[in-house]
Each structure stands twice: as structure tokens, then as C-alpha cells.
Amino acid sequence: MICEHCKKEFKEPLELYNGEWACPICRENISVTSNDLVVTHENEELFNLSEICYFRAIKAETRKDYQRELSKAVTLCREAAKLQHPKALIRMGYYYDSGYIAFDRNEAFKMAHDYYKAVWTAARIDVNYTGGVGEDWGENGIKLKERAALLYLNLLKNVPEKYTNNSVYGYGEAKSAVIAAGLPVKLSDEGAENREEDRAVKILDILESCKAGGRAPLFGILRVDGETFKRLAAIKDAGKKEKRAKLFKYAVSVDIVMLNEHTGNAKTIRKEEDVSVIKDDEQYYLYFFNVGGKQPKASNFKRAQKVIERETNRGEYGRILAIGDKAKSVGGDFVFYVDDVLKYKSKSEPFAHATGDLINAVLK
């Protein structure tokens, strides 16, 4: 890809916590797709492999097999999408839209919106290899554009509260734009089906993603009530005579802290007894830091963690509480990756300092 700002070429954009992308060279925000999409031997093979993994996942008999195959599918599909494969872009939108990727609902909505829109608004869809011309690609990929437009409009029927006053996500304007593009609109009046998964399962999926070999979360702040957290702490591997809950296995490589939303009191979660102090009827901020992932070198890593956990006028874990309050105000969670820190890092700036810049930007 070529950055529209610095005009330099790069392979992968920085994928940010708020659903936006940034150039890894100049750090400016960019669009993840171009106006022209293309199908090549390379991205077609990646997409087909991702589909095989996806179908293996939905047929998996155990949750472990399901998670493993789904992770492969998403990784391969993301690579194909970065190479501008239109079907991969649609599938990535679907993954975020349908909750297959553990993500805050607001951010997942924006991701799905951008992926779908990139396809139906594409100026050209080229097929650059012999044998690639088929029904889906005829008339400049009109069927793919129609499919993407349909998913796009269905998505906009259920805009998260955070974006309800944002004209960019207005359903009426979007429908008019789709019609103006010459694409048929075949929609029912009903909203998209409610795909909200159990909150405890979604949080566990986020913690499990910390073990990913690729884009694993660096840290996150999730708002959760005590009853849900206790349900989360009881989930074990399916089909096994396992006595220990999965949460405490993750706590070996992920620092997990529960902060009482009202009092700010903190409790580190490492073993079953730690959950006993959590009260069902109170709200908490679950803060985690991934100490076992593939992160920057150890010295930078530890300093960054200290920056995140720095005290403020609210006392211990003050900055975490401040981010949690911001998450509450926008009606979602915050999950951050190394990409988010790199967005704010210059050549002369240390990783820990850039982490502080990220937090300040979030709290604005």
C-alpha cells in the first residue's frame, strides 16, 4: 500500500483500537483500502485457505478446535484483505459484524462499516490471472458490490449509541448513496438479528486472544458486573475433566486486576479465592496487561506497564480507572494493541512515553 500522506509504500497498516488505520511510517491516519480492488493468484489463494479454515471452525466439535481454526481463518483473510481482495474485505466485515472477532462493539461496528463500504464503493475490481473470470467478477464485480451494499445497510440499521448522532453512519443517507451508485436495495424493514453473545464468553475470548502468535492485545479495560465475572471465572474447557477454570490459566501470562468502579479498590486475580471478594451487584473494571505475548523488548515493556498503571488523584491504578470511566461514557470497552502505541511513537521517543501519549489521546 502507498500512504496518501507521505506517499511511501508499506506492507501492513497499523490497526488501531478505535477501528481506524495509520501509516506505520508517518503515523497519519489512512484508509485501509484503495478505490481499485484486485484479485491475484496470491490474494485468491490466501482467501480460499481462509475459507477452508472458517468452515472447519464452524464444524468443530470442541471450542478449542473452533478457536484454533477461526484464528487461522481471520489471519489469512486479513492478509488477503490487505492485498485488496474484494471477497476477503467482505468476509472481514462479516467477521467483525457477527462477533467472530473479540472486540468492543463500537470498534467492531466501525471496522465492519469500513470493510463493507470499501467494496461497494470500489471504482474498479480487476481480476489479474487466467481463469479468474467468473460470475462474481462480471460487470466489474457487480454481484459482490450488491452483496457488500446489502450487508452495509443492514449494519447501519443497528448503529451503536456512540455513533447515533454521527452523520457518517446515517441509514437514510447511506441508502440514497447505494441507490445513486446503481445498486439494487432489497431489504426488509426489520433490524439485523441480535447477535449479542454472552458477556462472560466474549471477555474470555479477549483474554484468550492474548495467547495469539500474531496481533495479540497489549492491555485492555473492560466494564463488567460482579455476577458476570463470577460466571466467567467458572468456565472450563469443554469435554475435559478439568478442575481449573480457564481464567486462572490465562492469569499465568496475563496480569488481571479487578477495580471496583465506585471505590477504586483493586484486587489482583490469580486464583479461585481471589474471586470471593467480588460482589454480584457491583460494577467493576477488569484491567489486563499481557505479560506473556510477543511484545517490545523487556525493558520497554515493563516501563510501558508502569505508565499505564500510574497513580493519579484517584489513587492506585488511577489512569486505569480514568480510561474505564471513559469506556463507560462511550458505552464500550477498550482493548489496545502494540499498533496503538506505535501510532504515537517517533524515532526519538521511547515506547513507554508513546504509551502515555496514547492514554492521553484516549482520555481527551
Side-chain angles (χ1 to χ4, degrees), residues 29-46:
N29 285 16
I30 58 171
S31 170
V32 74
T33 61
S34 64
N35 288 328
D36 294 336
L37 306 182
V38 62
V39 183
T40 65
H41 278 297
E42 182 183 5
N43 63 19
E44 175 78 349
E45 183 176 3
L46 285 168

Side-chain angles (χ1 to χ4, degrees), residues 62-113:
T62 68
R63 186 162 185 82
K64 183 177 180 180
D65 290 340
Y66 166 80
Q67 291 289 359
R68 183 184 66 249
E69 293 299 330
L70 183 62
S71 178
K72 290 180 184 177
V74 172
T75 298
L76 289 165
C77 191
R78 181 178 278 114
E79 291 302 311
K82 286 174 181 175
L83 295 174
Q84 307 298 311
H85 192 292
K87 287 186 180 179
L89 291 166
I90 292 175
R91 179 63 85 184
M92 284 303 300
Y94 173 75
Y95 283 149
Y96 282 110
D97 184 11
S98 303
Y100 281 104
I101 299 176
F103 221 63
D104 163 55
R105 180 170 177 260
N106 295 320
E107 298 158 26
F109 167 82
K110 189 178 185 305
M111 287 285 201
H113 173 277

Side-chain angles (χ1 to χ4, degrees), residues 110-129:
K110 189 178 185 305
M111 287 285 201
H113 173 277
D114 289 358
Y115 274 120
Y116 290 152
K117 188 175 182 179
V119 177
W120 75 261
T121 59
R124 291 172 55 83
I125 296 181
D126 291 327
V127 181
N128 288 352
Y129 71 98

